[in-house]
Amino acid sequence: MSPFDVPHLLLRDASVPRSLIRAEGLYLPPGDVVVLDIEIADGRIATLTPPGTLAGEGVDLDRGMVWPCFVDLHTHLDKGQIWPRAANPDGSRAGALGAVGADREANWSAADVRARMDFALRCAYAHGTRAIRTHIDSIGQQPWISWPVFREVREAWRGRIDLQAVALFHPEAARDHAWLAALADLVADCGGVMGGVPYMEADPWDFLDRVFGHAERHGLDLDFHVDETDDTNAACLRLIAETALRRNFMGRIVAGHCCSLALQSPDNIDRTLDLVAQAGITVVSLPMCNMYLQDRTAGRTPRWRGVTLLHEMRARGIRVAVASDNTRDPFYAYGDLDAVEVYREATRILQLDHPIGDWPHVVTVAPSTVAGFGDGVIAEGMAADLVLFRARTFNEFLARPPQDRIVLRAGRPISRVLPDYRELDPLMERA
Ligand SMILES: [Zn+2]
């Protein structure tokens, strides 16, 4: 039996990221991590104390890091794992749209979507993720296949991974007013979030007004794919903020990607960020997918990282997160829904270091708060959903891919066995 598998557990000498501790009355010495003892009883964090305060045996973590379980704010569970049967021919965004469209038409039955979602969730769970928001391709009749599957999967995974879904569709689909109204009804019925991909060439003002209208009608939150391009004329982020302010929208709004903002003029950036801050919009960056798709031309080395302006946003008080986005599909060939990989890559790509500060919020507090999955911190009374590492410092954590983690859910260690890709072979052979 694992020394962790006991009803009453004392974790000694745990290095907890300072920005992820909420403990009133506890002195936290300066530094990116704080060494604490964590007492766990009845599946919850009972006590956070300075090391050596509590009597009893406990498990000596030897200053290994302890994080709260992760929250992944932007994924595509319905699209993931199709790479072997739907590769991106040239790595471009256009190539991705074509390959996914053809695969969806040919293969996305309820059984196919369900099997791939379940595979993805087992990966995320083993890596230490406790909550996920996924976008669901909602085009033509697909929503009436995928959303019922999502509901079943959400129920089956309740207590292990909390799930939310967002309707993802293009303005062309939304031109059919009756279809959009029916989609909004379905999303509301499933407790989902409205979304979509506004873009400049497709009357984004009208599109946004109608999507906001349906969200208001049902009291839904919003989550858009925004300006995922190097075209500096792409300014849908600003239009979303203006629409939210004009309509006095009461729900929560997340904007994903926002790539083109990074290439716009300083004046445009300032004006847009003022409006985004005023409208209370959360921005989620998808750094691995952006690095993969943006600035890609065959035979030419990319010069741009593709990511949006997280430092400038945070400096204005805009809530920012990072997330997985696609995994093993034509939009991103790689990835395993591992929030540690996302955080490590984000740190490298976006320079979320020196100092580390509260950047650990991007995969914990920020996504958890905006999606309503709780505070995302380590505090007394919280469920003991924790990830334990051998790495003692952020430098050790970021230097070597940390594969040695132990995941505790409600204080008990879970199996960390990842599903085998071979399991998906029968689905891939159908192509
Ligand atoms: Zn996405």
Side-chain angles (χ1 to χ4, degrees):
M1 195 178 89
S2 151
F4 296 93
D5 207 358
V6 291
H8 187 267
L9 176 64
L10 180 58
L11 301 175
R12 290 205 182 279
D13 282 347
S15 293
V16 182
R18 184 193 176 78
S19 66
L20 300 179
I21 303 169
R22 199 184 61 208
E24 276 156 42
L26 184 65
Y27 170 70
L28 303 180
D32 289 329
V33 297
V34 177
V35 181
L36 295 172
D37 286 355
I38 303 172
E39 186 188 28
I40 296 168
D42 301 324
R44 300 202 160 264
I45 297 172
T47 324
L48 293 173
T49 64
T53 313
L54 294 171
E57 272 203 12
V59 179
D60 181 6
L61 297 187
D62 193 17
R63 294 192 293 129
M65 286 181 99
V66 174
W67 285 63
C69 279
F70 304 104
V71 177
D72 209 334
L73 185 60
H74 183 128
T75 67
H76 294 266
L77 302 184
D78 61 334
K79 193 178 285 167
Q81 308 297 338
I82 62 174
W83 184 267
R85 70 182 190 206
N88 187 324
D90 57 5
S92 70
R93 196 158 177 283
L97 285 166
V100 165
D103 189 64
R104 193 193 309 112
E105 290 287 315
N107 293 321
W108 289 26
S109 64
D112 176 70
V113 172
R114 187 185 300 113
R116 290 183 292 98
M117 275 191 182
D118 191 69
F119 186 95
L121 288 165
R122 281 181 282 148
C123 298
Y125 183 68
H127 290 311
T129 290
R130 67 172 173 86
I132 293 178
R133 174 180 282 189
T134 180
H135 293 259
I136 301 276
D137 274 26
S138 299
I139 291 161
Q141 289 307 301
Q142 189 66 42
W144 285 272
I145 298 171
S146 294
W147 280 83
V149 170
F150 169 76
R151 283 177 92 140
E152 283 171 36
V153 170
R154 179 177 59 191
E155 204 47 47
W157 275 84
R158 196 175 290 283
R160 290 179 289 167
I161 296 183
D162 289 336
L163 285 166
Q164 278 180 0
V166 184
L168 174 59
F169 50 93
H170 287 91
E172 291 75 26
R175 281 207 190 100
D176 182 340
H177 287 225
W179 177 90
L180 183 61
L183 176 67
D185 291 348
L186 175 67
V187 170
D189 194 41
C190 295
V193 174
M194 279 298 273
V197 193
Y199 59 94
M200 301 308 280
E201 295 77 17
D203 195 355
W205 299 271
D206 173 66
F207 174 76
L208 289 171
D209 260 326
R210 291 198 293 121
V211 174
F212 270 79
H214 286 297
E216 287 160 359
R217 183 162 64 87
H218 289 292
L220 303 178
D221 289 340
L222 289 166
D223 189 334
F224 296 104
H225 278 68
V226 187
D227 302 332
E228 191 182 353
T229 170
D230 61 0
D231 177 1
T232 53
N233 292 316
C236 287
L237 178 59
R238 184 193 292 201
L239 301 186
I240 291 168
E242 286 172 349
T243 304
L245 292 167
R246 171 167 44 79
R247 298 182 73 106
N248 193 27
F249 182 71
M250 301 306 282
R252 287 175 286 199
I253 303 173
V254 173
H257 294 292
C258 311
C259 306
S260 66
L261 183 70
L263 303 175
Q264 292 176 8
S265 72
D267 283 354
N268 270 340
I269 290 170
D270 274 347
R271 177 78 186 122
T272 296
L273 291 187
D274 285 347
L275 290 166
V276 168
Q278 208 186 327
I281 294 171
T282 294
V283 173
V284 59
S285 180
L286 297 312
M288 299 190 316
C289 192
N290 292 159
M291 280 276 272
Y292 179 81
L293 284 181
Q294 299 301 313
D295 205 12
R296 181 188 283 269
T297 305
R300 178 186 173 280
T301 306
R303 318 288 160 89
W304 177 40
R305 298 180 186 213
V307 288
T308 195
L309 305 177
L310 286 206
H311 290 268
E312 292 80 352
M313 290 172 179
R314 194 183 65 152
R316 283 170 196 257
I318 296 167
R319 185 190 287 129
V320 295
V322 300
S324 288
D325 210 3
N326 302 75
T327 41
R328 294 188 80 227
D329 71 36
F331 286 90
Y332 184 55
Y334 318 116
D336 202 34
L337 292 168
D338 178 2
V340 176
E341 184 192 15
V342 175
Y343 175 75
R344 281 163 46 85
E345 292 299 313
T347 299
R348 289 161 164 75
I349 297 166
L350 286 147
Q351 299 181 347
L352 308 183
D353 49 9
H354 321 314
I356 293 290
D358 61 6
W359 285 116
H361 285 199
V362 292
V363 288
T364 53
V365 173
S368 194
T369 307
V370 71
F373 291 128
D375 295 340
V377 294
I378 289 183
E380 291 179 358
M382 308 286 270
D385 295 332
L386 303 170
V387 192
L388 282 48
F389 301 91
R390 283 295 291 164
R392 296 165 297 178
T393 62
F394 272 95
N395 181 267
E396 290 181 359
F397 184 79
L398 292 162
R400 179 184 291 167
Q403 294 302 328
D404 59 350
R405 68 195 89 163
I406 293 165
V407 177
L408 303 182
R409 297 301 305 271
R412 295 296 185 95
I414 64 162
S415 163
R416 289 206 55 246
V417 177
L418 291 164
D420 195 314
Y421 291 129
R422 288 166 188 76
E423 214 185 278
L424 296 168
D425 288 350
L427 296 178
M428 299 304 123
E429 282 157 12
R430 276 195 297 144

